[in-house]
Amino acid sequence: MTTLPARLLRLLSLLQSRREWSGAELADRLEVTGRTVRRDIDRLRALGYPVSSTTGTAGGYRLASGKDLPPLLLDDDEAVAVAAGLLTAASGSVTGIEESSVRALAKLEQVLPARLRAQVAAVAGATVPLVVREGPQVDAAVLATLAAACRDHEILSFDYVRRDGATQPRRVEPHSLVAVVGRWYLIAFDPERGDWRTFRADRLRDPLATGRRFEPRELPADSPADHLRRSITDAPYRHTARVGVHAPADVVRERLHPLLPNRVSPTGANSCTVDLGEDSLPQLTRQIAALTALDVEFTVDASDELRAQLRAQLRRGLDALG
């Protein structure tokens, strides 16, 4: 990896933004002389970027497609941001990510200039990652396969473990990967069912890119995150509950999973209802219990089984407090 002055990174960004630039245009954009542009172009070529000169009245430059991968270029802020991301990557949602992050960080520190090494060391000294093991984990190789299929618009086949435990073969057109609070989701179009589907990445088995390309479809949402939020909110669940909370809707939304704000409906200035659903009773109980931290009155409209489990969990919490 190489760290470069901001001007050289700016030049590279300009070359990537359109097919061809004249030397005069680049000099004007960068506020330097034509000689400086030529010298910076030579530096990019030395680093492996295939910048070709074009002929014509004014002459110019073009960033061609190269076969070899040139060095990774980061400015100062980007280098520190990457280091910080590696330090906090040990979230436990990706199998083996802790060890991989440490190895990558060690390589990064070796090539950083002294001024940045000190900044990264300061971040490392003040950062204590909390490894969470409660949620499902995804193999890094699985994520890599899914991401590559999304990028290359390649049909993906896999076996999917449904909520009831049954395994079903699927063949889909992958669109996006979305990570939310330790969980990874694949958004894809299922041609067999003629509709979009959302898959939990930890439930995918043996994903395989088939080599068959497809023409990407337009996602029926403003963004993959919006589509995922809608899918989770509208999905049918084995266990459901409606909770009436004597607190403003905005306050309650802050206590919920980031994908569930649409489940909160205001019923007044200082009250609202929350519709919750889960396939697991313990998970649903934990969601309701989280609302009790608001220290306000609430009512629960749910099955007797769920209400009994909720009472038992709250009782255990009170016993723990002595």
Side-chain angles (χ1 to χ4, degrees):
M1 191 204 74
T2 304
T3 54
L4 293 178
R7 188 187 71 239
L8 203 57
L9 289 172
R10 172 64 175 156
L11 172 59
L12 181 59
S13 176
L14 289 172
L15 290 171
Q16 291 173 328
S17 67
R18 82 183 200 198
R19 181 174 177 81
E20 187 175 311
W21 290 85
S22 70
E25 287 176 317
L26 290 174
D28 182 62
R29 287 293 191 96
L30 298 171
E31 298 181 347
V32 296
T33 64
R35 181 179 178 181
T36 299
V37 170
R38 290 191 294 273
R39 185 169 61 245
D40 286 348
I41 291 291
D42 288 338
R43 291 185 66 186
L44 288 179
R45 288 168 175 163
L47 289 169
Y49 286 91
V51 183
S52 60
S53 299
T54 60
T55 59
T57 305
Y61 303 97
R62 176 186 301 170
L63 185 62
S65 300
K67 295 181 180 179
D68 299 322
L69 180 67
L72 175 63
L73 303 179
L74 300 175
D75 62 25
D76 290 4
D77 292 341
E78 290 170 338
V80 174
V82 169
L86 292 170
L87 286 167
T88 56
S91 64
S93 64
V94 181
T95 305
I97 194 66
E98 300 94 333
E99 182 182 351
S100 300
S101 298
V102 170
R103 291 200 308 268
L105 182 59
K107 294 177 182 178
L108 178 63
E109 289 181 330
Q110 288 177 1
V111 297
L112 287 176
R115 68 182 187 282
L116 292 183
R117 203 174 298 130
Q119 294 183 43
V120 170
V123 174
T127 302
V128 181
L130 175 62
V131 180
V132 180
R133 296 295 187 189
E134 293 183 358
Q137 289 188 293
V138 185
D139 190 275
V142 169
L143 290 180
T145 298
L146 302 183
C150 291
R151 178 198 63 200
D152 299 335
H153 309 310
E154 197 168 343
I155 291 178
L156 191 70
S157 68
F158 52 84
D159 290 331
Y160 191 65
V161 181
R162 301 188 314 187
R163 293 176 179 176
D164 58 7
T167 301
Q168 189 176 51
R170 306 299 284 265
R171 193 177 180 89
V172 302
E173 300 173 0
H175 183 279
S176 305
L177 269 176
V178 183
V180 184
V181 196
R183 287 188 179 181
W184 293 81
Y185 298 87
L186 172 69
I187 296 174
F189 185 83
D190 190 329
E192 182 178 340
R193 291 159 178 79
D195 199 3
W196 291 87
R197 291 290 188 268
T198 300
F199 303 94
R200 282 257 301 270
D202 57 288
R203 293 180 179 172
L204 270 71
R205 301 292 182 266
D206 303 319
L208 175 67
T210 63
R212 285 191 56 195
R213 299 295 180 91
F214 62 89
E215 188 66 27
R217 303 172 189 264
E218 184 177 353
L219 189 69
D222 292 337
S223 69
D226 287 338
H227 181 80
L228 177 62
R229 183 178 295 110
R230 185 189 309 160
S231 298
I232 290 180
T233 300
D234 296 342
Y237 292 98
R238 190 175 304 166
H239 304 287
T240 61
R242 170 165 289 185
V243 183
V245 185
H246 291 273
D250 290 342
V251 174
V252 173
R253 288 189 181 101
E254 294 177 359
R255 291 282 177 179
L256 291 178
H257 189 286
L259 290 175
L260 305 180
N262 292 339
R263 293 186 179 181
V264 181
S265 303
T267 56
N270 295 298
S271 62
C272 62
T273 58
V274 185
D275 291 304
L276 299 174
E278 284 288 351
D279 290 328
S280 163
L281 268 178
Q283 289 178 347
L284 183 54
T285 302
R286 282 195 293 269
Q287 286 191 24
I288 298 174
L291 295 175
T292 66
L294 291 170
D295 194 24
V296 297
E297 293 183 5
F298 67 95
T299 58
V300 179
D301 182 9
S303 66
D304 292 340
E305 183 182 10
L306 174 61
R307 293 167 67 88
Q309 187 159 351
L310 180 60
R311 289 193 192 96
Q313 179 165 328
L314 294 177
R315 191 178 300 115
R316 286 193 295 270
L318 291 174
D319 292 341
L321 292 176

